[in-house]
Amino acid sequence: LAKEVVKTNVEVHLENMNLTEITGEAGSGKTQFCIHVILCTILPKSISCLQQGCLYISTVQKLSETRFNQFFSTYASLLSDKEQQLALMRLFHKHFNPNEFEKFFSIEIEKFIVDNSIKTIIIDSITGIADTQFIEDNNEVNYKERSKFLKIYLRLFKELIVKYNLFFFVTNNVSANLNEGNDASKPCLGKLWENGVNTRILLIKEKKEILSDF
């Protein structure tokens, strides 16, 4: 299948047919990056976007309407009201807990992709699904069960990507403390997940010096 490219205004070219991870510490801009990808998907071809459906799945916090609308109004400022309404109709936002997530991907996902002409799927974040549900009463992670989960969903995600020629993004946290000089490229969820991702984009939070008068 031929690949397509979506360009965001953060100067990154992203190809479909890849499982792409957006990783970085809290506040590094992962959700903001996702909003750029959403807009590059749903906005019309007349402004060099894909004009296709986008499924955004949140697992920790719902997508902020205020934040999204700020970006949307900038991107869509030259569009007519009708074009803006049509673009917004191409965005599907679902907020899932782990049980709802598993049910959706085991039963509903393929019909949803077809019925809504989905071109891009974003999961923000995979950590909210694949980490918290495997913490046991003693606060230890059940790594064996988590590995089973990851194997199932890495395979499923890649099957969907190939079958429906998708752009597919997941956000993930990092387990290192970037401010202490540790390995900034180390994502959460371990080697199994790390090796299963096709493309990894690391976002670094800009450090600003604070000047004092004292």
Side-chain angles (χ1 to χ4, degrees):
L1 295 172
K3 288 195 175 186
E4 298 176 62
V5 173
V6 58
K7 182 181 179 183
T8 79
N9 67 356
V10 288
E11 299 303 324
V12 177
H13 291 263
L14 303 168
E15 293 184 334
N16 64 335
M17 303 294 286
N18 281 339
L19 177 58
T20 301
E21 178 190 70
I22 313 301
T23 187
E25 63 178 324
S28 60
K30 297 186 293 293
T31 297
Q32 180 173 321
F33 190 104
C34 291
I35 292 174
H36 289 306
V37 175
I38 291 170
L39 295 174
C40 286
T41 303
I42 65 172
L43 290 173
K45 293 179 181 178
S46 62
I47 55 173
S48 301
C49 294
L50 296 177
Q51 197 171 318
Q52 297 286 337
C54 179
L55 171 60
Y56 176 88
I57 297 172
S58 56
T59 65
V60 180
Q61 292 183 329
K62 294 182 179 180
L63 182 65
S64 166
E65 288 188 22
T66 300
R67 191 177 181 189
F68 174 81
N69 287 334
Q70 288 173 341
F71 285 97
F72 181 82
S73 61
T74 300
Y75 270 75
S77 59
L78 298 179
L79 300 177
S80 68
D81 289 345
K82 183 177 181 180
E83 286 176 314
Q84 292 186 30
Q85 291 171 4
L86 289 172
L88 290 172
M89 290 173 63
R90 299 184 192 108
L91 172 59
F92 302 88
H93 175 207
K94 293 184 175 292
H95 183 76
F96 288 144
N97 63 36
N99 289 334
E100 292 167 336
F101 181 92
E102 293 192 53
K103 178 182 177 182
F104 181 77
F105 273 93
S106 62
I107 299 173
E108 303 173 38
I109 182 62
E110 294 202 54
K111 186 175 186 301
F112 192 92
I113 290 171
V114 173
D115 289 350
N116 298 291
S117 300
I118 298 299
K119 184 64 174 179
T120 301
I121 295 177
I122 302 169
I123 300 172
D124 185 13
S125 74
I126 192 64
T127 322
I129 294 295
D131 198 2
T132 54
Q133 67 170 318
F134 298 107
I135 297 176
E136 300 182 331
D137 293 338
N138 58 2
N139 287 325
E140 295 291 329
V141 177
N142 186 329
Y143 292 105
K144 183 176 180 180
E145 290 302 312
R146 190 179 74 175
S147 293
K148 289 180 182 178
F149 175 91
L150 292 174
K151 286 180 181 177
I152 290 170
Y153 280 91
L154 280 168
R155 183 177 66 250
L156 175 59
F157 293 162
K158 291 184 177 182
E159 287 174 353
L160 293 172
I161 288 167
V162 172
K163 185 172 182 179
Y164 295 103
N165 199 17
L166 298 173
F167 292 91
F168 202 116
F169 303 89
V170 295
T171 67
N172 192 9
N173 298 333
V174 291
S175 57
N177 186 334
L178 305 187
N179 294 322
E180 296 180 0
N182 293 327
D183 181 7
S185 64
K186 183 179 179 183
C188 291
L189 305 179
K191 285 290 183 182
L192 176 63
W193 172 260
E194 184 178 353
N195 294 333
V197 172
N198 299 114
T199 302
R200 175 167 293 109
I201 298 173
L202 173 67
L203 303 181
I204 302 294
K205 182 162 47 175
E206 182 181 357
K207 296 180 181 178
K208 296 183 179 179
E209 294 186 7
I210 300 176
L211 301 178
S212 173
D213 294 330
F214 300 97

